[in-house]
Each structure stands twice: as C-alpha cells, then as structure tokens.
C-alpha cells in the first residue's frame, strides 16, 4: 500500500505532485504524455474537488471538456473549466491516471498550485496529526486509484 508522509508546515500539508494529460487522452492520441509538470500541492479537506491554479492546465497543454459553477467558501460561485489529468505523488508512487479537476482563477496560493480536495482524499486514508505536525496519505492498491 503506497503511503505519502510529510511534515505540516505553517502553510499547511504540502506535497509535490506531477500533472499531465489523463491516460485516456494519451491512449486516444489526443495528448502528449511527455507534457508533464512538477508543482507544489496543498491538501484541502474542505474542497470537494481537486483544483488547479489558473495557468497549470495551459502549461501542460490540456483542453477543457466542460465548464461548471463552483462555490467558494464564502458562498460565491465561479465558472470553472473542467479537465481530466494524470496526477501523481512521485515521492510515494501514488497515481491517479484519470482524475477530473477544475481550474480556478480565484485559487491562488503562494504555497501550492494544486489544491488536493476530497475527489482524491476519498480514495485513501488521510491523517492530519496536528500534535506531531505530520500528515500521511495512504491508498490501497495502485490500481484502485484509477
């Protein structure tokens, strides 16, 4: 069972991820698997879905397949592009080859270009240990994250 462990910093629970085109897009010839970038992510247990900071999808060469309205924490809504990505936690070998995410102009963080929301967290066990200032994210079998 792959497990990611990290220290909780004042900015939050941060991790390095790679973002690239989804496995579906690569296998269909619609995207180039080589267009992958490495960025910082922050775990956000309050976010329903995983969110890319504006510009991340463009850097990878992704094209949106939908637009949805997403509610922010103060009740405001924003129209966001929807993408399918291949997201990996390279330090743990945790892979999500076909993950649906949104890109938001209102998501800006000096500490992370991706908010890891419950669309990822529900596929494993996320432990935030405030007393020890550590976190862990464990997924069952790599095939289970598909």
């Amino acid at each position: 069972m792959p497990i990611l462990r990290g220290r909780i910093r004042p900015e939050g629970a941060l991790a390095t991820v790679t973002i690239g085109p989804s496995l579906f897009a690569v296998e269909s010839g619609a995207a180039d698997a080589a267009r992958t970038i490495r960025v910082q992510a922050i775990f956000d247990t309050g976010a329903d879905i995983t969110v890319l900071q504006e510009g991340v999808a463009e850097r990878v060469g992704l094209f949106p397949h939908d637009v949805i309205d997403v509610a922010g924490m103060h009740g405001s809504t924003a129209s966001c592009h929807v993408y399918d990505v291949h997201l990996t936690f390279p330090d743990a070998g945790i892979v999500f080859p076909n993950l649906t995410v949104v890109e938001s102009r209102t998501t800006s963080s000096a500490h992370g270009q991706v908010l890891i929301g419950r669309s990822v967290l529900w596929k494993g066990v996320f432990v935030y240990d405030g007393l020890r200032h550590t976190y862990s994210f464990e997924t069952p079998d790599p095939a289970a994250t598909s």
Side-chain angles (χ1 to χ4, degrees), residues 9-143:
R9 304 176 191 281
E11 308 83 40
L14 303 174
T16 298
V17 297
T18 60
I19 300 284
S22 71
L23 182 60
F24 291 144
V26 171
E27 288 177 341
S28 71
D32 179 5
R35 294 202 63 181
T36 300
I37 61 170
R38 189 180 202 96
V39 295
Q40 281 295 111
I42 188 165
F43 287 93
D44 185 348
T45 60
D48 289 333
I49 192 165
T50 297
V51 181
L52 305 179
Q53 188 176 41
E54 184 175 35
V56 171
E58 183 179 350
R59 287 174 51 202
V60 179
L62 301 176
F63 296 97
H65 61 75
D66 202 357
V67 175
I68 62 171
D69 288 332
V70 175
M73 67 183 225
H74 298 291
S76 61
T77 60
S79 294
C80 297
H81 287 117
V82 180
Y83 299 88
D84 290 325
V85 302
H86 184 283
L87 183 141
T88 303
F89 292 92
D91 296 336
I94 298 173
V95 178
F96 298 91
N98 298 298
L99 180 68
T100 300
V101 301
V102 297
E103 182 178 55
S104 174
R105 286 184 290 260
T106 60
T107 299
S108 63
S109 169
H111 309 295
Q113 294 178 291
V114 178
L115 292 178
I116 302 296
R118 292 189 308 269
S119 61
V120 166
L121 297 176
W122 76 272
K123 297 178 182 188
V125 177
F126 181 70
V127 177
Y128 187 101
D129 185 339
L131 296 177
R132 292 183 182 87
H133 305 287
T134 62
Y135 73 86
S136 63
F137 179 56
E138 183 175 7
T139 59
D141 179 283

